[in-house]
Amino acid sequence: QVQLVESGGGLVQPGGTLRLSCAASTERFAINAMGWYRQAAGKERELVAGITSGGTTKYGDSVKGRIDISRDNSKNTVYLQMTKLKPEDTAVYYCGASYYYTPDEYEFWGQGTQVTVSS
């Protein structure tokens, strides 16, 4: 099994920045793809960004140009740097991880961390 621990959510003002982290622990197989989805109240879950262990990335259309995903393979940790945040970025952000190489498809999920963008 894979355990995911998310951190970094909170309240931020519009135009601000926030960094989310997600650390994965695995007992058997190596983690390859990791990334983030988000779900706002009353909306479907949508891709924020994903990255493979080889560095292939995929970004959701609504965040391109404002968000950067990176990872430290030695720590099985993925980071989401969010800039120029907007109120519509308010959502619960879920970290995902996979044994496979598709950057935005995951079998394992974290509990979620709330991000609220408000003045």
mmCIF file of all heavy atoms in Angstrom, residues 63-116:
data_model
loop_
_atom_site.group_PDB
_atom_site.id
_atom_site.type_symbol
_atom_site.label_atom_id
_atom_site.label_comp_id
_atom_site.label_asym_id
_atom_site.label_seq_id
_atom_site.Cartn_x
_atom_site.Cartn_y
_atom_site.Cartn_z
ATOM 1 N N VAL A 63 -4.955 26.171 -14.820
ATOM 2 C CA VAL A 63 -3.850 26.627 -13.972
ATOM 3 C C VAL A 63 -2.558 26.849 -14.747
ATOM 4 O O VAL A 63 -1.562 27.278 -14.169
ATOM 5 C CB VAL A 63 -3.571 25.631 -12.827
ATOM 6 C CG1 VAL A 63 -4.817 25.449 -11.974
ATOM 7 C CG2 VAL A 63 -3.086 24.295 -13.384
ATOM 8 N N LYS A 64 -2.575 26.571 -16.031
ATOM 9 C CA LYS A 64 -1.347 26.710 -16.819
ATOM 10 C C LYS A 64 -0.802 28.130 -16.719
ATOM 11 O O LYS A 64 -1.546 29.105 -16.828
ATOM 12 C CB LYS A 64 -1.619 26.353 -18.284
ATOM 13 C CG LYS A 64 -1.741 24.862 -18.525
ATOM 14 C CD LYS A 64 -1.994 24.554 -19.994
ATOM 15 C CE LYS A 64 -2.103 23.060 -20.219
ATOM 16 N NZ LYS A 64 -2.424 22.722 -21.632
ATOM 17 N N GLY A 65 0.507 28.211 -16.501
ATOM 18 C CA GLY A 65 1.163 29.513 -16.393
ATOM 19 C C GLY A 65 1.205 30.070 -14.981
ATOM 20 O O GLY A 65 1.912 31.039 -14.715
ATOM 21 N N ARG A 66 0.451 29.468 -14.068
ATOM 22 C CA ARG A 66 0.406 29.966 -12.692
ATOM 23 C C ARG A 66 0.907 28.948 -11.684
ATOM 24 O O ARG A 66 1.138 29.296 -10.519
ATOM 25 C CB ARG A 66 -1.011 30.375 -12.315
ATOM 26 C CG ARG A 66 -1.603 31.459 -13.194
ATOM 27 C CD ARG A 66 -2.937 31.942 -12.634
ATOM 28 N NE ARG A 66 -3.944 30.904 -12.635
ATOM 29 C CZ ARG A 66 -4.516 30.418 -11.547
ATOM 30 N NH1 ARG A 66 -4.177 30.870 -10.346
ATOM 31 N NH2 ARG A 66 -5.451 29.487 -11.639
ATOM 32 N N ILE A 67 1.036 27.713 -12.113
ATOM 33 C CA ILE A 67 1.363 26.650 -11.173
ATOM 34 C C ILE A 67 2.535 25.843 -11.723
ATOM 35 O O ILE A 67 2.602 25.569 -12.926
ATOM 36 C CB ILE A 67 0.128 25.756 -10.932
ATOM 37 C CG1 ILE A 67 -0.844 26.493 -10.014
ATOM 38 C CG2 ILE A 67 0.525 24.405 -10.356
ATOM 39 C CD1 ILE A 67 -2.101 25.737 -9.688
ATOM 40 N N ASP A 68 3.427 25.459 -10.813
ATOM 41 C CA ASP A 68 4.576 24.643 -11.202
ATOM 42 C C ASP A 68 4.627 23.407 -10.311
ATOM 43 O O ASP A 68 4.531 23.509 -9.078
ATOM 44 C CB ASP A 68 5.868 25.437 -11.047
ATOM 45 C CG ASP A 68 7.072 24.621 -11.461
ATOM 46 O OD1 ASP A 68 7.181 24.285 -12.659
ATOM 47 O OD2 ASP A 68 7.896 24.288 -10.584
ATOM 48 N N ILE A 69 4.768 22.243 -10.931
ATOM 49 C CA ILE A 69 4.895 21.013 -10.158
ATOM 50 C C ILE A 69 6.324 20.501 -10.254
ATOM 51 O O ILE A 69 6.954 20.584 -11.310
ATOM 52 C CB ILE A 69 3.879 19.948 -10.634
ATOM 53 C CG1 ILE A 69 3.867 18.763 -9.666
ATOM 54 C CG2 ILE A 69 4.170 19.501 -12.071
ATOM 55 C CD1 ILE A 69 2.696 17.814 -9.893
ATOM 56 N N SER A 70 6.827 19.995 -9.148
ATOM 57 C CA SER A 70 8.172 19.425 -9.127
ATOM 58 C C SER A 70 8.180 18.272 -8.130
ATOM 59 O O SER A 70 7.224 18.098 -7.369
ATOM 60 C CB SER A 70 9.205 20.489 -8.735
ATOM 61 O OG SER A 70 8.938 21.001 -7.441
ATOM 62 N N ARG A 71 9.267 17.514 -8.135
ATOM 63 C CA ARG A 71 9.330 16.403 -7.188
ATOM 64 C C ARG A 71 10.764 16.093 -6.832
ATOM 65 O O ARG A 71 11.684 16.407 -7.587
ATOM 66 C CB ARG A 71 8.620 15.159 -7.733
ATOM 67 C CG ARG A 71 9.287 14.533 -8.930
ATOM 68 C CD ARG A 71 8.423 13.405 -9.478
ATOM 69 N NE ARG A 71 8.491 12.217 -8.652
ATOM 70 C CZ ARG A 71 7.686 11.160 -8.796
ATOM 71 N NH1 ARG A 71 6.737 11.190 -9.711
ATOM 72 N NH2 ARG A 71 7.818 10.107 -8.028
ATOM 73 N N ASP A 72 10.898 15.481 -5.663
ATOM 74 C CA ASP A 72 12.179 14.971 -5.194
ATOM 75 C C ASP A 72 12.023 13.465 -5.134
ATOM 76 O O ASP A 72 11.395 12.929 -4.215
ATOM 77 C CB ASP A 72 12.500 15.565 -3.821
ATOM 78 C CG ASP A 72 13.871 15.151 -3.309
ATOM 79 O OD1 ASP A 72 14.375 14.093 -3.746
ATOM 80 O OD2 ASP A 72 14.411 15.856 -2.460
ATOM 81 N N ASN A 73 12.582 12.770 -6.116
ATOM 82 C CA ASN A 73 12.405 11.320 -6.187
ATOM 83 C C ASN A 73 13.037 10.606 -4.992
ATOM 84 O O ASN A 73 12.541 9.564 -4.564
ATOM 85 C CB ASN A 73 12.998 10.778 -7.488
ATOM 86 C CG ASN A 73 12.185 11.181 -8.702
ATOM 87 O OD1 ASN A 73 10.976 11.400 -8.611
ATOM 88 N ND2 ASN A 73 12.843 11.289 -9.840
ATOM 89 N N SER A 74 14.105 11.156 -4.465
ATOM 90 C CA SER A 74 14.772 10.508 -3.333
ATOM 91 C C SER A 74 13.892 10.528 -2.085
ATOM 92 O O SER A 74 14.052 9.693 -1.195
ATOM 93 C CB SER A 74 16.106 11.191 -3.035
ATOM 94 O OG SER A 74 15.914 12.510 -2.551
ATOM 95 N N LYS A 75 12.955 11.469 -2.035
ATOM 96 C CA LYS A 75 12.055 11.581 -0.886
ATOM 97 C C LYS A 75 10.627 11.174 -1.226
ATOM 98 O O LYS A 75 9.740 11.273 -0.376
ATOM 99 C CB LYS A 75 12.058 13.030 -0.368
ATOM 100 C CG LYS A 75 13.403 13.509 0.143
ATOM 101 C CD LYS A 75 13.324 14.949 0.609
ATOM 102 C CE LYS A 75 14.668 15.452 1.125
ATOM 103 N NZ LYS A 75 14.603 16.872 1.549
ATOM 104 N N ASN A 76 10.392 10.762 -2.462
ATOM 105 C CA ASN A 76 9.018 10.440 -2.906
ATOM 106 C C ASN A 76 8.059 11.573 -2.562
ATOM 107 O O ASN A 76 6.951 11.341 -2.072
ATOM 108 C CB ASN A 76 8.533 9.138 -2.270
ATOM 109 C CG ASN A 76 8.837 7.929 -3.125
ATOM 110 O OD1 ASN A 76 9.123 8.043 -4.319
ATOM 111 N ND2 ASN A 76 8.807 6.765 -2.514
ATOM 112 N N THR A 77 8.511 12.775 -2.812
ATOM 113 C CA THR A 77 7.730 13.954 -2.453
ATOM 114 C C THR A 77 7.496 14.821 -3.682
ATOM 115 O O THR A 77 8.416 15.056 -4.466
ATOM 116 C CB THR A 77 8.441 14.777 -1.368
ATOM 117 O OG1 THR A 77 8.604 13.966 -0.202
ATOM 118 C CG2 THR A 77 7.633 16.013 -0.998
ATOM 119 N N VAL A 78 6.244 15.283 -3.810
ATOM 120 C CA VAL A 78 5.879 16.166 -4.906
ATOM 121 C C VAL A 78 5.471 17.516 -4.330
ATOM 122 O O VAL A 78 4.888 17.599 -3.241
ATOM 123 C CB VAL A 78 4.740 15.554 -5.751
ATOM 124 C CG1 VAL A 78 3.454 15.413 -4.938
ATOM 125 C CG2 VAL A 78 4.497 16.360 -7.007
ATOM 126 N N TYR A 79 5.811 18.568 -5.051
ATOM 127 C CA TYR A 79 5.538 19.929 -4.621
ATOM 128 C C TYR A 79 4.691 20.647 -5.665
ATOM 129 O O TYR A 79 4.888 20.456 -6.867
ATOM 130 C CB TYR A 79 6.847 20.705 -4.422
ATOM 131 C CG TYR A 79 7.818 20.028 -3.504
ATOM 132 C CD1 TYR A 79 8.849 19.233 -4.011
ATOM 133 C CD2 TYR A 79 7.701 20.158 -2.126
ATOM 134 C CE1 TYR A 79 9.745 18.598 -3.165
ATOM 135 C CE2 TYR A 79 8.600 19.522 -1.269
ATOM 136 C CZ TYR A 79 9.607 18.747 -1.800
ATOM 137 O OH TYR A 79 10.483 18.109 -0.957
ATOM 138 N N LEU A 80 3.781 21.470 -5.181
ATOM 139 C CA LEU A 80 2.943 22.266 -6.070
ATOM 140 C C LEU A 80 3.092 23.723 -5.674
ATOM 141 O O LEU A 80 2.626 24.131 -4.607
ATOM 142 C CB LEU A 80 1.479 21.828 -5.962
ATOM 143 C CG LEU A 80 0.537 22.398 -7.014
ATOM 144 C CD1 LEU A 80 0.856 21.779 -8.380
ATOM 145 C CD2 LEU A 80 -0.910 22.124 -6.638
ATOM 146 N N GLN A 81 3.775 24.489 -6.510
ATOM 147 C CA GLN A 81 3.965 25.912 -6.263
ATOM 148 C C GLN A 81 2.893 26.676 -7.013
ATOM 149 O O GLN A 81 2.832 26.622 -8.241
ATOM 150 C CB GLN A 81 5.360 26.350 -6.736
ATOM 151 C CG GLN A 81 5.685 27.808 -6.476
ATOM 152 C CD GLN A 81 5.955 28.104 -5.011
ATOM 153 O OE1 GLN A 81 6.368 27.228 -4.253
ATOM 154 N NE2 GLN A 81 5.729 29.339 -4.597
ATOM 155 N N MET A 82 2.040 27.372 -6.266
ATOM 156 C CA MET A 82 0.916 28.080 -6.874
ATOM 157 C C MET A 82 1.129 29.579 -6.716
ATOM 158 O O MET A 82 1.376 30.068 -5.605
ATOM 159 C CB MET A 82 -0.388 27.650 -6.204
ATOM 160 C CG MET A 82 -0.638 26.156 -6.332
ATOM 161 S SD MET A 82 -2.266 25.663 -5.761
ATOM 162 C CE MET A 82 -2.081 25.914 -4.005
ATOM 163 N N THR A 83 1.010 30.300 -7.811
ATOM 164 C CA THR A 83 1.193 31.752 -7.802
ATOM 165 C C THR A 83 -0.037 32.430 -8.401
ATOM 166 O O THR A 83 -0.869 31.775 -9.043
ATOM 167 C CB THR A 83 2.438 32.158 -8.594
ATOM 168 O OG1 THR A 83 2.253 31.780 -9.970
ATOM 169 C CG2 THR A 83 3.679 31.464 -8.057
ATOM 170 N N LYS A 84 -0.124 33.730 -8.202
ATOM 171 C CA LYS A 84 -1.232 34.530 -8.752
ATOM 172 C C LYS A 84 -2.576 33.866 -8.467
ATOM 173 O O LYS A 84 -3.421 33.725 -9.363
ATOM 174 C CB LYS A 84 -1.032 34.727 -10.256
ATOM 175 C CG LYS A 84 0.280 35.404 -10.615
ATOM 176 C CD LYS A 84 0.457 35.485 -12.131
ATOM 177 C CE LYS A 84 1.806 36.090 -12.482
ATOM 178 N NZ LYS A 84 2.025 36.138 -13.950
ATOM 179 N N LEU A 85 -2.758 33.451 -7.237
ATOM 180 C CA LEU A 85 -3.949 32.701 -6.877
ATOM 181 C C LEU A 85 -5.209 33.546 -7.010
ATOM 182 O O LEU A 85 -5.200 34.755 -6.741
ATOM 183 C CB LEU A 85 -3.816 32.151 -5.462
ATOM 184 C CG LEU A 85 -2.892 30.941 -5.368
ATOM 185 C CD1 LEU A 85 -2.451 30.679 -3.941
ATOM 186 C CD2 LEU A 85 -3.568 29.709 -5.953
ATOM 187 N N LYS A 86 -6.280 32.884 -7.417
ATOM 188 C CA LYS A 86 -7.567 33.530 -7.639
ATOM 189 C C LYS A 86 -8.605 32.902 -6.714
ATOM 190 O O LYS A 86 -8.452 31.756 -6.310
ATOM 191 C CB LYS A 86 -8.002 33.331 -9.090
ATOM 192 C CG LYS A 86 -6.988 33.776 -10.122
ATOM 193 C CD LYS A 86 -7.470 33.394 -11.523
ATOM 194 C CE LYS A 86 -6.448 33.773 -12.580
ATOM 195 N NZ LYS A 86 -6.917 33.385 -13.940
ATOM 196 N N PRO A 87 -9.681 33.588 -6.427
ATOM 197 C CA PRO A 87 -10.733 32.992 -5.606
ATOM 198 C C PRO A 87 -11.245 31.670 -6.178
ATOM 199 O O PRO A 87 -11.603 30.762 -5.418
ATOM 200 C CB PRO A 87 -11.818 34.071 -5.613
ATOM 201 C CG PRO A 87 -11.067 35.350 -5.759
ATOM 202 C CD PRO A 87 -9.928 35.026 -6.684
ATOM 203 N N GLU A 88 -11.239 31.548 -7.493
ATOM 204 C CA GLU A 88 -11.726 30.303 -8.104
ATOM 205 C C GLU A 88 -10.756 29.131 -7.928
ATOM 206 O O GLU A 88 -11.073 28.010 -8.306
ATOM 207 C CB GLU A 88 -12.044 30.502 -9.590
ATOM 208 C CG GLU A 88 -10.953 31.184 -10.390
ATOM 209 C CD GLU A 88 -11.181 32.680 -10.526
ATOM 210 O OE1 GLU A 88 -11.551 33.335 -9.518
ATOM 211 O OE2 GLU A 88 -10.967 33.202 -11.643
ATOM 212 N N ASP A 89 -9.589 29.387 -7.371
ATOM 213 C CA ASP A 89 -8.671 28.306 -7.023
ATOM 214 C C ASP A 89 -9.039 27.671 -5.679
ATOM 215 O O ASP A 89 -8.441 26.661 -5.282
ATOM 216 C CB ASP A 89 -7.231 28.816 -6.942
ATOM 217 C CG ASP A 89 -6.688 29.255 -8.299
ATOM 218 O OD1 ASP A 89 -6.930 28.540 -9.285
ATOM 219 O OD2 ASP A 89 -6.044 30.313 -8.365
ATOM 220 N N THR A 90 -9.998 28.241 -4.987
ATOM 221 C CA THR A 90 -10.454 27.683 -3.711
ATOM 222 C C THR A 90 -11.034 26.297 -3.929
ATOM 223 O O THR A 90 -11.926 26.102 -4.757
ATOM 224 C CB THR A 90 -11.514 28.601 -3.078
ATOM 225 O OG1 THR A 90 -10.908 29.850 -2.763
ATOM 226 C CG2 THR A 90 -12.085 27.968 -1.820
ATOM 227 N N ALA A 91 -10.492 25.333 -3.204
ATOM 228 C CA ALA A 91 -10.905 23.939 -3.375
ATOM 229 C C ALA A 91 -10.170 23.078 -2.349
ATOM 230 O O ALA A 91 -9.240 23.552 -1.686
ATOM 231 C CB ALA A 91 -10.580 23.441 -4.783
ATOM 232 N N VAL A 92 -10.594 21.830 -2.276
ATOM 233 C CA VAL A 92 -9.798 20.829 -1.565
ATOM 234 C C VAL A 92 -8.844 20.224 -2.585
ATOM 235 O O VAL A 92 -9.276 19.789 -3.658
ATOM 236 C CB VAL A 92 -10.675 19.741 -0.937
ATOM 237 C CG1 VAL A 92 -9.801 18.694 -0.255
ATOM 238 C CG2 VAL A 92 -11.653 20.346 0.056
ATOM 239 N N TYR A 93 -7.574 20.222 -2.261
ATOM 240 C CA TYR A 93 -6.546 19.713 -3.149
ATOM 241 C C TYR A 93 -6.131 18.313 -2.677
ATOM 242 O O TYR A 93 -5.748 18.130 -1.520
ATOM 243 C CB TYR A 93 -5.349 20.649 -3.166
ATOM 244 C CG TYR A 93 -5.608 21.899 -3.970
ATOM 245 C CD1 TYR A 93 -6.530 22.846 -3.544
ATOM 246 C CD2 TYR A 93 -4.949 22.123 -5.185
ATOM 247 C CE1 TYR A 93 -6.792 23.985 -4.290
ATOM 248 C CE2 TYR A 93 -5.198 23.259 -5.939
ATOM 249 C CZ TYR A 93 -6.126 24.187 -5.484
ATOM 250 O OH TYR A 93 -6.377 25.310 -6.234
ATOM 251 N N TYR A 94 -6.209 17.356 -3.601
ATOM 252 C CA TYR A 94 -5.905 15.968 -3.285
ATOM 253 C C TYR A 94 -4.619 15.534 -3.991
ATOM 254 O O TYR A 94 -4.482 15.723 -5.209
ATOM 255 C CB TYR A 94 -7.033 15.052 -3.742
ATOM 256 C CG TYR A 94 -8.333 15.282 -3.010
ATOM 257 C CD1 TYR A 94 -9.300 16.139 -3.521
ATOM 258 C CD2 TYR A 94 -8.593 14.626 -1.808
ATOM 259 C CE1 TYR A 94 -10.490 16.344 -2.849
ATOM 260 C CE2 TYR A 94 -9.791 14.825 -1.131
ATOM 261 C CZ TYR A 94 -10.729 15.689 -1.659
ATOM 262 O OH TYR A 94 -11.909 15.886 -0.985
ATOM 263 N N CYS A 95 -3.750 14.929 -3.220
ATOM 264 C CA CYS A 95 -2.530 14.364 -3.785
ATOM 265 C C CYS A 95 -2.801 12.939 -4.233
ATOM 266 O O CYS A 95 -3.490 12.180 -3.541
ATOM 267 C CB CYS A 95 -1.427 14.385 -2.737
ATOM 268 S SG CYS A 95 0.121 13.603 -3.261
ATOM 269 N N GLY A 96 -2.252 12.569 -5.383
ATOM 270 C CA GLY A 96 -2.395 11.216 -5.877
ATOM 271 C C GLY A 96 -1.039 10.627 -6.227
ATOM 272 O O GLY A 96 -0.076 11.348 -6.485
ATOM 273 N N ALA A 97 -0.991 9.290 -6.250
ATOM 274 C CA ALA A 97 0.248 8.608 -6.601
ATOM 275 C C ALA A 97 -0.067 7.309 -7.327
ATOM 276 O O ALA A 97 -1.142 6.728 -7.152
ATOM 277 C CB ALA A 97 1.082 8.322 -5.351
ATOM 278 N N SER A 98 0.901 6.875 -8.122
ATOM 279 C CA SER A 98 0.683 5.677 -8.928
ATOM 280 C C SER A 98 1.977 4.905 -9.096
ATOM 281 O O SER A 98 3.063 5.491 -9.119
ATOM 282 C CB SER A 98 0.141 6.083 -10.300
ATOM 283 O OG SER A 98 0.098 4.977 -11.181
ATOM 284 N N TYR A 99 1.850 3.595 -9.263
ATOM 285 C CA TYR A 99 2.989 2.766 -9.633
ATOM 286 C C TYR A 99 3.327 2.905 -11.125
ATOM 287 O O TYR A 99 4.410 2.501 -11.545
ATOM 288 C CB TYR A 99 2.702 1.299 -9.352
ATOM 289 C CG TYR A 99 2.509 0.933 -7.901
ATOM 290 C CD1 TYR A 99 1.497 0.052 -7.522
ATOM 291 C CD2 TYR A 99 3.350 1.439 -6.913
ATOM 292 C CE1 TYR A 99 1.327 -0.309 -6.196
ATOM 293 C CE2 TYR A 99 3.184 1.081 -5.586
ATOM 294 C CZ TYR A 99 2.177 0.201 -5.233
ATOM 295 O OH TYR A 99 2.016 -0.157 -3.915
ATOM 296 N N TYR A 100 2.409 3.485 -11.893
ATOM 297 C CA TYR A 100 2.549 3.538 -13.335
ATOM 298 C C TYR A 100 3.022 4.903 -13.810
ATOM 299 O O TYR A 100 3.286 5.797 -13.005
ATOM 300 C CB TYR A 100 1.220 3.137 -13.981
ATOM 301 C CG TYR A 100 0.756 1.793 -13.523
ATOM 302 C CD1 TYR A 100 -0.259 1.664 -12.578
ATOM 303 C CD2 TYR A 100 1.368 0.622 -13.992
ATOM 304 C CE1 TYR A 100 -0.665 0.422 -12.125
ATOM 305 C CE2 TYR A 100 0.966 -0.619 -13.551
ATOM 306 C CZ TYR A 100 -0.044 -0.718 -12.618
ATOM 307 O OH TYR A 100 -0.438 -1.944 -12.160
ATOM 308 N N TYR A 101 3.151 5.045 -15.151
ATOM 309 C CA TYR A 101 3.868 6.201 -15.687
ATOM 310 C C TYR A 101 2.998 7.288 -16.290
ATOM 311 O O TYR A 101 3.525 8.292 -16.763
ATOM 312 C CB TYR A 101 4.884 5.730 -16.725
ATOM 313 C CG TYR A 101 6.035 4.970 -16.111
ATOM 314 C CD1 TYR A 101 6.004 3.587 -16.011
ATOM 315 C CD2 TYR A 101 7.147 5.637 -15.600
ATOM 316 C CE1 TYR A 101 7.047 2.891 -15.429
ATOM 317 C CE2 TYR A 101 8.199 4.952 -15.014
ATOM 318 C CZ TYR A 101 8.144 3.573 -14.943
ATOM 319 O OH TYR A 101 9.181 2.888 -14.368
ATOM 320 N N THR A 102 1.688 7.131 -16.299
ATOM 321 C CA THR A 102 0.827 8.198 -16.806
ATOM 322 C C THR A 102 0.768 9.310 -15.770
ATOM 323 O O THR A 102 0.386 9.059 -14.628
ATOM 324 C CB THR A 102 -0.587 7.668 -17.084
ATOM 325 O OG1 THR A 102 -0.488 6.559 -17.976
ATOM 326 C CG2 THR A 102 -1.440 8.747 -17.715
ATOM 327 N N PRO A 103 1.153 10.538 -16.139
ATOM 328 C CA PRO A 103 1.342 11.582 -15.119
ATOM 329 C C PRO A 103 0.081 12.010 -14.380
ATOM 330 O O PRO A 103 0.192 12.586 -13.282
ATOM 331 C CB PRO A 103 1.935 12.756 -15.897
ATOM 332 C CG PRO A 103 1.583 12.510 -17.315
ATOM 333 C CD PRO A 103 1.521 11.019 -17.478
ATOM 334 N N ASP A 104 -1.107 11.748 -14.918
ATOM 335 C CA ASP A 104 -2.316 12.236 -14.276
ATOM 336 C C ASP A 104 -3.312 11.142 -13.899
ATOM 337 O O ASP A 104 -4.498 11.416 -13.721
ATOM 338 C CB ASP A 104 -3.009 13.265 -15.177
ATOM 339 C CG ASP A 104 -3.413 12.681 -16.515
ATOM 340 O OD1 ASP A 104 -2.837 11.656 -16.922
ATOM 341 O OD2 ASP A 104 -4.299 13.263 -17.168
ATOM 342 N N GLU A 105 -2.852 9.917 -13.749
ATOM 343 C CA GLU A 105 -3.719 8.823 -13.333
ATOM 344 C C GLU A 105 -3.130 8.149 -12.093
ATOM 345 O O GLU A 105 -1.959 7.753 -12.108
ATOM 346 C CB GLU A 105 -3.881 7.797 -14.463
ATOM 347 C CG GLU A 105 -4.592 8.366 -15.679
ATOM 348 C CD GLU A 105 -4.774 7.337 -16.785
ATOM 349 O OE1 GLU A 105 -4.378 6.176 -16.589
ATOM 350 O OE2 GLU A 105 -5.305 7.694 -17.841
ATOM 351 N N TYR A 106 -3.966 8.009 -11.045
ATOM 352 C CA TYR A 106 -3.454 7.533 -9.755
ATOM 353 C C TYR A 106 -4.360 6.474 -9.143
ATOM 354 O O TYR A 106 -5.573 6.527 -9.273
ATOM 355 C CB TYR A 106 -3.335 8.713 -8.775
ATOM 356 C CG TYR A 106 -2.707 9.940 -9.403
ATOM 357 C CD1 TYR A 106 -3.404 11.149 -9.480
ATOM 358 C CD2 TYR A 106 -1.425 9.889 -9.937
ATOM 359 C CE1 TYR A 106 -2.835 12.257 -10.064
ATOM 360 C CE2 TYR A 106 -0.851 11.005 -10.524
ATOM 361 C CZ TYR A 106 -1.560 12.188 -10.599
ATOM 362 O OH TYR A 106 -0.988 13.290 -11.185
ATOM 363 N N GLU A 107 -3.727 5.536 -8.426
ATOM 364 C CA GLU A 107 -4.474 4.524 -7.688
ATOM 365 C C GLU A 107 -4.629 4.895 -6.219
ATOM 366 O O GLU A 107 -5.496 4.359 -5.534
ATOM 367 C CB GLU A 107 -3.752 3.164 -7.722
ATOM 368 C CG GLU A 107 -3.416 2.608 -9.095
ATOM 369 C CD GLU A 107 -2.019 3.022 -9.501
ATOM 370 O OE1 GLU A 107 -1.048 2.326 -9.106
ATOM 371 O OE2 GLU A 107 -1.899 4.038 -10.213
ATOM 372 N N PHE A 108 -3.758 5.755 -5.735
ATOM 373 C CA PHE A 108 -3.723 6.073 -4.308
ATOM 374 C C PHE A 108 -3.955 7.574 -4.120
ATOM 375 O O PHE A 108 -3.464 8.396 -4.901
ATOM 376 C CB PHE A 108 -2.380 5.670 -3.703
ATOM 377 C CG PHE A 108 -2.022 4.240 -3.981
ATOM 378 C CD1 PHE A 108 -1.101 3.920 -4.959
ATOM 379 C CD2 PHE A 108 -2.627 3.211 -3.272
ATOM 380 C CE1 PHE A 108 -0.776 2.606 -5.232
ATOM 381 C CE2 PHE A 108 -2.313 1.896 -3.536
ATOM 382 C CZ PHE A 108 -1.395 1.587 -4.529
ATOM 383 N N TRP A 109 -4.658 7.888 -3.034
ATOM 384 C CA TRP A 109 -5.036 9.276 -2.789
ATOM 385 C C TRP A 109 -4.795 9.664 -1.345
ATOM 386 O O TRP A 109 -4.920 8.846 -0.434
ATOM 387 C CB TRP A 109 -6.514 9.481 -3.117
ATOM 388 C CG TRP A 109 -6.812 9.322 -4.565
ATOM 389 C CD1 TRP A 109 -7.237 8.190 -5.196
ATOM 390 C CD2 TRP A 109 -6.692 10.314 -5.587
ATOM 391 N NE1 TRP A 109 -7.380 8.419 -6.537
ATOM 392 C CE2 TRP A 109 -7.055 9.720 -6.804
ATOM 393 C CE3 TRP A 109 -6.302 11.656 -5.586
ATOM 394 C CZ2 TRP A 109 -7.050 10.421 -8.015
ATOM 395 C CZ3 TRP A 109 -6.295 12.353 -6.779
ATOM 396 C CH2 TRP A 109 -6.665 11.737 -7.978
ATOM 397 N N GLY A 110 -4.471 10.948 -1.146
ATOM 398 C CA GLY A 110 -4.374 11.498 0.189
ATOM 399 C C GLY A 110 -5.735 11.958 0.673
ATOM 400 O O GLY A 110 -6.737 11.852 -0.046
ATOM 401 N N GLN A 111 -5.757 12.479 1.890
ATOM 402 C CA GLN A 111 -6.998 12.914 2.518
ATOM 403 C C GLN A 111 -7.489 14.257 1.991
ATOM 404 O O GLN A 111 -8.660 14.589 2.146
ATOM 405 C CB GLN A 111 -6.794 13.016 4.032
ATOM 406 C CG GLN A 111 -6.507 11.697 4.706
ATOM 407 C CD GLN A 111 -7.696 10.770 4.652
ATOM 408 O OE1 GLN A 111 -8.833 11.186 4.847
ATOM 409 N NE2 GLN A 111 -7.448 9.494 4.379
ATOM 410 N N GLY A 112 -6.595 15.024 1.406
ATOM 411 C CA GLY A 112 -6.976 16.335 0.896
ATOM 412 C C GLY A 112 -6.571 17.458 1.834
ATOM 413 O O GLY A 112 -6.548 17.269 3.058
ATOM 414 N N THR A 113 -6.264 18.592 1.257
ATOM 415 C CA THR A 113 -5.932 19.775 2.051
ATOM 416 C C THR A 113 -6.676 20.974 1.468
ATOM 417 O O THR A 113 -6.721 21.147 0.252
ATOM 418 C CB THR A 113 -4.409 20.025 2.084
ATOM 419 O OG1 THR A 113 -4.118 21.116 2.958
ATOM 420 C CG2 THR A 113 -3.826 20.307 0.706
ATOM 421 N N GLN A 114 -7.266 21.758 2.351
ATOM 422 C CA GLN A 114 -8.089 22.880 1.909
ATOM 423 C C GLN A 114 -7.214 24.072 1.535
ATOM 424 O O GLN A 114 -6.325 24.476 2.294
ATOM 425 C CB GLN A 114 -9.061 23.290 3.018
ATOM 426 C CG GLN A 114 -9.921 24.500 2.690
ATOM 427 C CD GLN A 114 -10.971 24.204 1.634
ATOM 428 O OE1 GLN A 114 -11.647 23.170 1.704
ATOM 429 N NE2 GLN A 114 -11.129 25.102 0.665
ATOM 430 N N VAL A 115 -7.517 24.653 0.379
ATOM 431 C CA VAL A 115 -6.902 25.914 -0.039
ATOM 432 C C VAL A 115 -8.036 26.915 -0.240
ATOM 433 O O VAL A 115 -8.971 26.654 -1.005
ATOM 434 C CB VAL A 115 -6.097 25.749 -1.347
ATOM 435 C CG1 VAL A 115 -5.653 27.118 -1.863
ATOM 436 C CG2 VAL A 115 -4.897 24.847 -1.119
ATOM 437 N N THR A 116 -7.947 28.022 0.462
ATOM 438 C CA THR A 116 -8.958 29.062 0.352
ATOM 439 C C THR A 116 -8.297 30.363 -0.069
ATOM 440 O O THR A 116 -7.348 30.824 0.592
ATOM 441 C CB THR A 116 -9.690 29.267 1.691
ATOM 442 O OG1 THR A 116 -10.286 28.027 2.097
ATOM 443 C CG2 THR A 116 -10.777 30.324 1.559
#
